[in-house]
Amino acid sequence: MGTAEISRKRVLVLLIFTLLHAEGETLGLASNALVKYKYVVDLVLETLFSPDTLPTSGFRIEAVTQLNVVWENSSSQHEKLIQLQVEEVKLLNVSEQNENRNSFKDAHSESLLGPTIMAALKKPVIFHWNSGKIEALYGSAEERGLPLNLKRGLVSLFQLQPNSGTITEVDVSGNCRVTYEMANNQVIKIKDLLSCGKTEFGFDASNQVLGVLWQPTCKGLYSVENGVIKAAVIEEGHIFKLNLQTTIGAKISSRQQLHYMTSEIQPKAFYGESLQETLHNLGIFTPLSMTGVLEKIPCKNCTLANDYLKSLNKKNNLQDLSKISAAKVFLAFVQLLREAKKSEILNFLKKAADNEISFLIDSATAAQTESSLSALSEYLDFTKEKQSPQVKTFLYAAAFSSYPSKELLNTLLAKLQSRIASREVEETTVSVIGAVIGKMCLRNLCKLQEVEIAKKVILEGLNTAKEDVKMYLLALKNARLPETIPLLLQYTKGQINSVTSIAVAALQRFPSAYITQEVKKQMNRIFHQSRNRYGTAVRMAALDVILNNQLSPMELKNIVLSMREMESELSKYTVAKLQNIRHSDHHQASKVIRELLRDRLIYNYYHMSRFGCSSSSSGYLAVTTDAISSYNMDLLFGDTGILQKSLTDFFILNQGNQLHATQVSIEAQGLDSFFKESPAQDEDDDDDEITASMSVILFDVQFPPTVFFQGYSDLMEKLWSVTEEPTSIIKGSTLLIDHLQSVMLQSGLVANAEFQGGLGIDVSGIIELSLWSQNCKTNIRSRGALVINSVIKVDTTFVQAGVKSNSEATAALDFVSSVKFLDSPILICLQLLNGPYQSREKVTIYKSLQEHVVFSKRKKRTRSFQGAELPLHQANSEMCKKMFSEQQ
């Protein structure tokens, strides 16, 4: 090998060594140096409600910290024990403010912090540093709480890798994925806070429409010279906002700064030959977790639940639950009950007056503490008929729980397995257990032993049931367990229409990902009656599954070509349904329908011109930047003009998520025989009795149907006894939004985000019947009030900063149906009336020192909306005009 070749190889090796050295320069303190840094923590909170018009709140912590090496591994200088001590702690304003806005101008840091916290902050800690990673933290046995968390945040700054790449590190935030990027003498450190693992502290919603969006970021920039950190800036941001209304929430910005001050060369002062000997000799040997500890902040200066209840004007505050005042009381009382003991709650329940007991049961169920559930379980006796109204109140409240617990599920199972006095209560209990299972599975709790036991109870009950099949199918409809789809398919193949109808309706509620080709084939068989004959209501539900789950052009073509062979009203409904989807902006099948209906061999008078009264219509109740509220109404009539089935749905859509807010389904059988010249029974009806019933889905929970009448004699009895007094369908208060989250900031401070939404609802029905003029008018009246409160804060014993948001709204919706029997065909007019309503928003940004408010700024706005009659289909409008013109 020549001399030139050897020289070139030497140069190449030297170049590679230089590059590796530049990329992988070891970070750390010199063994004989005492290094001082200035450490600054800035915390700023700002509102999401008109942030440009409101000031921010926050504070600054300044300190001087010194570090020195107390032990070094003799075989590796990259492994050390480093002692860190904090001194000269100050509390300041986070930004330059004029004198009258300076919260700290008359307050000394030592007096604000207090001697205990100040002494705890100045106690030294030792961290085990090994090649840029912190492997352990040690301190005195008394280290705890906020002072320790702040020191964890400071120590975490010295965890730094000199090489680009992504690794996992344990620091004050938890076990997180961290990415390093190198640039000259700078190191960029990006931490993925969503990877740090979910803390067990707190809770959130099972349906994300009612949930809270958390958007965290964390990025650091280090300046390094000769292995020593000269400066570091860590920028951290957290946005908490309600999905339903993104102006409710706040943004937290936190900045840590580390600035190199001095370095003094001292004689090496090691305190032992081994790591453990050094710790023992220094008296700092208690191992501490590097991850910050989240602790529940006890309620300060809270009113006792008993005192609050006594102070209420119960006649005004609890009489009408659909008023804002009642929703406010409900939210406040739930908070107080979460601090109450079982004995207190049980005492409330036992001493409650008749007009209070429902409110107390709703509140105790919403509190969802072990104490409240235990008190309810002891108070409610499912074996006594006289307690059935109170038991049903509890069951409804349990069904609406946003994050049901295993304790709630155990309570329900225990009650189900004991004797239940009322058949209606038993049906409701089974249905609610299904809803609780479904919500827990949505929160990835399906594998819990309690959930597995509950699923087994439902499935075994279904397998052994003879007359109770529909009760257990409703539970499966609420649970929405993918593994039960084959079982539900089996029940769609039966001969009893009422059972098949529930099984098909249960399949309707599954997302498209679970609707397999096998399910689609069976739905097509039902709709086209390939093997058995089915009732029109069942075929209507099967059509809905086909249209809402990856509709293929061939399926659509078969539907259109088969319409001439259908009953006139079902074919009319099918055409109306296709046209309604065709004109929809967001339905997944709209594109397929538009493309196929361009074919004139399909889209022509022969196939699409159908006669009848059946219809399908949809529209928007409200559209905001955050959410869309829509409605859909499907009406299926019999050949005589009598309504066989009406289906009214209300949905809330937000960021790809959907909440089935309400469904009211009214179904009648056998009434056509009153108006037919020949009373022959329809071929597809399997029930001889005249019946009418209503079933309700409320916030994704299906309840057992309410039977209006069953049989001719029952119908006549109720016709003669009908009054114009409203009949309550659902009335109560529920905690619709319930989110509590605590986040350990990189600095060691703790941010808390709490959102609560209380809904007061009152749904009633009124029937006006005149046998003389042969007309009937029904009105399903829905009234409600929603109050949402949120608090995002950083709360310490010495300073508190936060943002409070409040939103209030009322709503009224009437579904009126007017029927005139005198003429043939029968005249039916349907009206969906959206009443006037008002919404109010308020935000308060504040700062307190030792719980004394030193700064507070508030802003609010009110908006009013006029009522309107929502448009339905054209045929209905024409029938309403005809009916009302004849009345004038």
Side-chain angles (χ1 to χ4, degrees), residues 710-724:
Q710 190 164 5
Y712 180 80
S713 59
D714 190 26
L715 169 61
M716 290 296 103
E717 181 184 343
K718 288 179 178 173
L719 279 176
W720 288 110
S721 62
V722 70
T723 67
E724 295 184 7

mmCIF file with all atom_site columns, all heavy atoms in Angstrom, residues 710-724:
data_model
loop_
_atom_site.group_PDB
_atom_site.id
_atom_site.type_symbol
_atom_site.label_atom_id
_atom_site.label_alt_id
_atom_site.label_comp_id
_atom_site.label_asym_id
_atom_site.label_entity_id
_atom_site.label_seq_id
_atom_site.pdbx_PDB_ins_code
_atom_site.Cartn_x
_atom_site.Cartn_y
_atom_site.Cartn_z
_atom_site.occupancy
_atom_site.B_iso_or_equiv
_atom_site.pdbx_formal_charge
_atom_site.auth_seq_id
_atom_site.auth_comp_id
_atom_site.auth_asym_id
_atom_site.auth_atom_id
_atom_site.pdbx_PDB_model_num
ATOM 1   N N   . GLN A 1 710 ? -103.163 -2.112 24.532 1.00 0.00 ? 710 GLN A N   1
ATOM 2   C CA  . GLN A 1 710 ? -102.950 -3.447 23.979 1.00 0.00 ? 710 GLN A CA  1
ATOM 3   C C   . GLN A 1 710 ? -104.293 -4.175 23.973 1.00 0.00 ? 710 GLN A C   1
ATOM 4   O O   . GLN A 1 710 ? -104.809 -4.573 25.009 1.00 0.00 ? 710 GLN A O   1
ATOM 5   C CB  . GLN A 1 710 ? -101.926 -4.224 24.805 1.00 0.00 ? 710 GLN A CB  1
ATOM 6   C CG  . GLN A 1 710 ? -101.491 -5.526 24.148 1.00 0.00 ? 710 GLN A CG  1
ATOM 7   C CD  . GLN A 1 710 ? -100.218 -6.071 24.781 1.00 0.00 ? 710 GLN A CD  1
ATOM 8   O OE1 . GLN A 1 710 ? -99.719  -5.526 25.758 1.00 0.00 ? 710 GLN A OE1 1
ATOM 9   N NE2 . GLN A 1 710 ? -99.697  -7.144 24.232 1.00 0.00 ? 710 GLN A NE2 1
ATOM 10  N N   . GLY A 1 711 ? -104.894 -4.300 22.786 1.00 0.00 ? 711 GLY A N   1
ATOM 11  C CA  . GLY A 1 711 ? -106.199 -4.926 22.648 1.00 0.00 ? 711 GLY A CA  1
ATOM 12  C C   . GLY A 1 711 ? -107.311 -3.892 22.523 1.00 0.00 ? 711 GLY A C   1
ATOM 13  O O   . GLY A 1 711 ? -107.179 -2.738 22.937 1.00 0.00 ? 711 GLY A O   1
ATOM 14  N N   . TYR A 1 712 ? -108.414 -4.354 21.961 1.00 0.00 ? 712 TYR A N   1
ATOM 15  C CA  . TYR A 1 712 ? -109.542 -3.454 21.669 1.00 0.00 ? 712 TYR A CA  1
ATOM 16  C C   . TYR A 1 712 ? -110.158 -2.891 22.949 1.00 0.00 ? 712 TYR A C   1
ATOM 17  O O   . TYR A 1 712 ? -110.449 -1.692 23.045 1.00 0.00 ? 712 TYR A O   1
ATOM 18  C CB  . TYR A 1 712 ? -110.595 -4.219 20.859 1.00 0.00 ? 712 TYR A CB  1
ATOM 19  C CG  . TYR A 1 712 ? -111.799 -3.388 20.505 1.00 0.00 ? 712 TYR A CG  1
ATOM 20  C CD1 . TYR A 1 712 ? -111.768 -2.506 19.436 1.00 0.00 ? 712 TYR A CD1 1
ATOM 21  C CD2 . TYR A 1 712 ? -112.972 -3.492 21.256 1.00 0.00 ? 712 TYR A CD2 1
ATOM 22  C CE1 . TYR A 1 712 ? -112.876 -1.737 19.118 1.00 0.00 ? 712 TYR A CE1 1
ATOM 23  C CE2 . TYR A 1 712 ? -114.090 -2.729 20.943 1.00 0.00 ? 712 TYR A CE2 1
ATOM 24  C CZ  . TYR A 1 712 ? -114.028 -1.856 19.872 1.00 0.00 ? 712 TYR A CZ  1
ATOM 25  O OH  . TYR A 1 712 ? -115.135 -1.102 19.571 1.00 0.00 ? 712 TYR A OH  1
ATOM 26  N N   . SER A 1 713 ? -110.357 -3.730 23.967 1.00 0.00 ? 713 SER A N   1
ATOM 27  C CA  . SER A 1 713 ? -110.988 -3.278 25.207 1.00 0.00 ? 713 SER A CA  1
ATOM 28  C C   . SER A 1 713 ? -110.123 -2.246 25.924 1.00 0.00 ? 713 SER A C   1
ATOM 29  O O   . SER A 1 713 ? -110.624 -1.258 26.477 1.00 0.00 ? 713 SER A O   1
ATOM 30  C CB  . SER A 1 713 ? -111.271 -4.462 26.127 1.00 0.00 ? 713 SER A CB  1
ATOM 31  O OG  . SER A 1 713 ? -110.071 -5.150 26.431 1.00 0.00 ? 713 SER A OG  1
ATOM 32  N N   . ASP A 1 714 ? -108.780 -2.476 25.906 1.00 0.00 ? 714 ASP A N   1
ATOM 33  C CA  . ASP A 1 714 ? -107.862 -1.522 26.525 1.00 0.00 ? 714 ASP A CA  1
ATOM 34  C C   . ASP A 1 714 ? -107.905 -0.190 25.787 1.00 0.00 ? 714 ASP A C   1
ATOM 35  O O   . ASP A 1 714 ? -107.872 0.891  26.398 1.00 0.00 ? 714 ASP A O   1
ATOM 36  C CB  . ASP A 1 714 ? -106.444 -2.103 26.514 1.00 0.00 ? 714 ASP A CB  1
ATOM 37  C CG  . ASP A 1 714 ? -105.471 -1.278 27.355 1.00 0.00 ? 714 ASP A CG  1
ATOM 38  O OD1 . ASP A 1 714 ? -105.921 -0.603 28.296 1.00 0.00 ? 714 ASP A OD1 1
ATOM 39  O OD2 . ASP A 1 714 ? -104.259 -1.307 27.053 1.00 0.00 ? 714 ASP A OD2 1
ATOM 40  N N   . LEU A 1 715 ? -108.006 -0.234 24.454 1.00 0.00 ? 715 LEU A N   1
ATOM 41  C CA  . LEU A 1 715 ? -108.105 0.985  23.659 1.00 0.00 ? 715 LEU A CA  1
ATOM 42  C C   . LEU A 1 715 ? -109.356 1.776  24.019 1.00 0.00 ? 715 LEU A C   1
ATOM 43  O O   . LEU A 1 715 ? -109.308 2.986  24.236 1.00 0.00 ? 715 LEU A O   1
ATOM 44  C CB  . LEU A 1 715 ? -108.109 0.623  22.176 1.00 0.00 ? 715 LEU A CB  1
ATOM 45  C CG  . LEU A 1 715 ? -108.459 1.758  21.205 1.00 0.00 ? 715 LEU A CG  1
ATOM 46  C CD1 . LEU A 1 715 ? -107.450 2.892  21.308 1.00 0.00 ? 715 LEU A CD1 1
ATOM 47  C CD2 . LEU A 1 715 ? -108.521 1.234  19.769 1.00 0.00 ? 715 LEU A CD2 1
ATOM 48  N N   . MET A 1 716 ? -110.514 1.095  24.101 1.00 0.00 ? 716 MET A N   1
ATOM 49  C CA  . MET A 1 716 ? -111.763 1.781  24.414 1.00 0.00 ? 716 MET A CA  1
ATOM 50  C C   . MET A 1 716 ? -111.731 2.387  25.812 1.00 0.00 ? 716 MET A C   1
ATOM 51  O O   . MET A 1 716 ? -112.189 3.515  26.032 1.00 0.00 ? 716 MET A O   1
ATOM 52  C CB  . MET A 1 716 ? -112.931 0.789  24.304 1.00 0.00 ? 716 MET A CB  1
ATOM 53  C CG  . MET A 1 716 ? -113.249 0.354  22.885 1.00 0.00 ? 716 MET A CG  1
ATOM 54  S SD  . MET A 1 716 ? -113.815 1.741  21.849 1.00 0.00 ? 716 MET A SD  1
ATOM 55  C CE  . MET A 1 716 ? -112.342 2.086  20.874 1.00 0.00 ? 716 MET A CE  1
ATOM 56  N N   . GLU A 1 717 ? -111.172 1.654  26.743 1.00 0.00 ? 717 GLU A N   1
ATOM 57  C CA  . GLU A 1 717 ? -111.090 2.151  28.119 1.00 0.00 ? 717 GLU A CA  1
ATOM 58  C C   . GLU A 1 717 ? -110.265 3.441  28.194 1.00 0.00 ? 717 GLU A C   1
ATOM 59  O O   . GLU A 1 717 ? -110.648 4.405  28.861 1.00 0.00 ? 717 GLU A O   1
ATOM 60  C CB  . GLU A 1 717 ? -110.477 1.079  29.013 1.00 0.00 ? 717 GLU A CB  1
ATOM 61  C CG  . GLU A 1 717 ? -110.354 1.485  30.479 1.00 0.00 ? 717 GLU A CG  1
ATOM 62  C CD  . GLU A 1 717 ? -109.665 0.430  31.318 1.00 0.00 ? 717 GLU A CD  1
ATOM 63  O OE1 . GLU A 1 717 ? -109.565 -0.738 30.859 1.00 0.00 ? 717 GLU A OE1 1
ATOM 64  O OE2 . GLU A 1 717 ? -109.204 0.778  32.424 1.00 0.00 ? 717 GLU A OE2 1
ATOM 65  N N   . LYS A 1 718 ? -109.150 3.456  27.467 1.00 0.00 ? 718 LYS A N   1
ATOM 66  C CA  . LYS A 1 718 ? -108.274 4.635  27.526 1.00 0.00 ? 718 LYS A CA  1
ATOM 67  C C   . LYS A 1 718 ? -108.819 5.791  26.703 1.00 0.00 ? 718 LYS A C   1
ATOM 68  O O   . LYS A 1 718 ? -108.542 6.957  26.987 1.00 0.00 ? 718 LYS A O   1
ATOM 69  C CB  . LYS A 1 718 ? -106.867 4.245  27.079 1.00 0.00 ? 718 LYS A CB  1
ATOM 70  C CG  . LYS A 1 718 ? -106.183 3.385  28.150 1.00 0.00 ? 718 LYS A CG  1
ATOM 71  C CD  . LYS A 1 718 ? -104.796 2.942  27.789 1.00 0.00 ? 718 LYS A CD  1
ATOM 72  C CE  . LYS A 1 718 ? -104.198 2.146  28.949 1.00 0.00 ? 718 LYS A CE  1
ATOM 73  N NZ  . LYS A 1 718 ? -102.906 1.542  28.632 1.00 0.00 ? 718 LYS A NZ  1
ATOM 74  N N   . LEU A 1 719 ? -109.601 5.485  25.672 1.00 0.00 ? 719 LEU A N   1
ATOM 75  C CA  . LEU A 1 719 ? -110.231 6.556  24.911 1.00 0.00 ? 719 LEU A CA  1
ATOM 76  C C   . LEU A 1 719 ? -111.221 7.326  25.766 1.00 0.00 ? 719 LEU A C   1
ATOM 77  O O   . LEU A 1 719 ? -111.288 8.563  25.722 1.00 0.00 ? 719 LEU A O   1
ATOM 78  C CB  . LEU A 1 719 ? -110.944 5.980  23.678 1.00 0.00 ? 719 LEU A CB  1
ATOM 79  C CG  . LEU A 1 719 ? -110.093 5.667  22.455 1.00 0.00 ? 719 LEU A CG  1
ATOM 80  C CD1 . LEU A 1 719 ? -110.933 5.012  21.372 1.00 0.00 ? 719 LEU A CD1 1
ATOM 81  C CD2 . LEU A 1 719 ? -109.424 6.929  21.927 1.00 0.00 ? 719 LEU A CD2 1
ATOM 82  N N   . TRP A 1 720 ? -112.007 6.631  26.579 1.00 0.00 ? 720 TRP A N   1
ATOM 83  C CA  . TRP A 1 720 ? -113.020 7.290  27.396 1.00 0.00 ? 720 TRP A CA  1
ATOM 84  C C   . TRP A 1 720 ? -112.406 7.958  28.626 1.00 0.00 ? 720 TRP A C   1
ATOM 85  O O   . TRP A 1 720 ? -113.018 8.870  29.204 1.00 0.00 ? 720 TRP A O   1
ATOM 86  C CB  . TRP A 1 720 ? -114.086 6.278  27.823 1.00 0.00 ? 720 TRP A CB  1
ATOM 87  C CG  . TRP A 1 720 ? -114.981 5.858  26.693 1.00 0.00 ? 720 TRP A CG  1
ATOM 88  C CD1 . TRP A 1 720 ? -115.019 4.644  26.097 1.00 0.00 ? 720 TRP A CD1 1
ATOM 89  C CD2 . TRP A 1 720 ? -115.930 6.678  26.011 1.00 0.00 ? 720 TRP A CD2 1
ATOM 90  N NE1 . TRP A 1 720 ? -115.933 4.632  25.072 1.00 0.00 ? 720 TRP A NE1 1
ATOM 91  C CE2 . TRP A 1 720 ? -116.516 5.878  25.001 1.00 0.00 ? 720 TRP A CE2 1
ATOM 92  C CE3 . TRP A 1 720 ? -116.351 8.011  26.147 1.00 0.00 ? 720 TRP A CE3 1
ATOM 93  C CZ2 . TRP A 1 720 ? -117.484 6.347  24.141 1.00 0.00 ? 720 TRP A CZ2 1
ATOM 94  C CZ3 . TRP A 1 720 ? -117.327 8.489  25.298 1.00 0.00 ? 720 TRP A CZ3 1
ATOM 95  C CH2 . TRP A 1 720 ? -117.887 7.672  24.302 1.00 0.00 ? 720 TRP A CH2 1
ATOM 96  N N   . SER A 1 721 ? -111.228 7.504  29.031 1.00 0.00 ? 721 SER A N   1
ATOM 97  C CA  . SER A 1 721 ? -110.613 8.081  30.232 1.00 0.00 ? 721 SER A CA  1
ATOM 98  C C   . SER A 1 721 ? -109.554 9.129  29.923 1.00 0.00 ? 721 SER A C   1
ATOM 99  O O   . SER A 1 721 ? -108.916 9.662  30.825 1.00 0.00 ? 721 SER A O   1
ATOM 100 C CB  . SER A 1 721 ? -109.975 6.971  31.085 1.00 0.00 ? 721 SER A CB  1
ATOM 101 O OG  . SER A 1 721 ? -108.935 6.328  30.358 1.00 0.00 ? 721 SER A OG  1
ATOM 102 N N   . VAL A 1 722 ? -109.336 9.433  28.625 1.00 0.00 ? 722 VAL A N   1
ATOM 103 C CA  . VAL A 1 722 ? -108.275 10.369 28.267 1.00 0.00 ? 722 VAL A CA  1
ATOM 104 C C   . VAL A 1 722 ? -108.598 11.770 28.777 1.00 0.00 ? 722 VAL A C   1
ATOM 105 O O   . VAL A 1 722 ? -109.750 12.207 28.776 1.00 0.00 ? 722 VAL A O   1
ATOM 106 C CB  . VAL A 1 722 ? -108.054 10.379 26.739 1.00 0.00 ? 722 VAL A CB  1
ATOM 107 C CG1 . VAL A 1 722 ? -109.228 11.022 26.003 1.00 0.00 ? 722 VAL A CG1 1
ATOM 108 C CG2 . VAL A 1 722 ? -106.759 11.096 26.391 1.00 0.00 ? 722 VAL A CG2 1
ATOM 109 N N   . THR A 1 723 ? -107.588 12.440 29.260 1.00 0.00 ? 723 THR A N   1
ATOM 110 C CA  . THR A 1 723 ? -107.715 13.829 29.720 1.00 0.00 ? 723 THR A CA  1
ATOM 111 C C   . THR A 1 723 ? -106.694 14.675 28.981 1.00 0.00 ? 723 THR A C   1
ATOM 112 O O   . THR A 1 723 ? -105.800 14.169 28.315 1.00 0.00 ? 723 THR A O   1
ATOM 113 C CB  . THR A 1 723 ? -107.457 13.942 31.229 1.00 0.00 ? 723 THR A CB  1
ATOM 114 O OG1 . THR A 1 723 ? -106.072 13.636 31.487 1.00 0.00 ? 723 THR A OG1 1
ATOM 115 C CG2 . THR A 1 723 ? -108.344 12.969 32.005 1.00 0.00 ? 723 THR A CG2 1
ATOM 116 N N   . GLU A 1 724 ? -106.851 15.982 29.101 1.00 0.00 ? 724 GLU A N   1
ATOM 117 C CA  . GLU A 1 724 ? -105.925 16.890 28.440 1.00 0.00 ? 724 GLU A CA  1
ATOM 118 C C   . GLU A 1 724 ? -104.768 17.290 29.357 1.00 0.00 ? 724 GLU A C   1
ATOM 119 O O   . GLU A 1 724 ? -104.025 18.217 29.053 1.00 0.00 ? 724 GLU A O   1
ATOM 120 C CB  . GLU A 1 724 ? -106.665 18.133 27.945 1.00 0.00 ? 724 GLU A CB  1
ATOM 121 C CG  . GLU A 1 724 ? -107.688 17.800 26.857 1.00 0.00 ? 724 GLU A CG  1
ATOM 122 C CD  . GLU A 1 724 ? -108.364 19.040 26.296 1.00 0.00 ? 724 GLU A CD  1
ATOM 123 O OE1 . GLU A 1 724 ? -107.932 20.161 26.661 1.00 0.00 ? 724 GLU A OE1 1
ATOM 124 O OE2 . GLU A 1 724 ? -109.295 18.898 25.496 1.00 0.00 ? 724 GLU A OE2 1
#
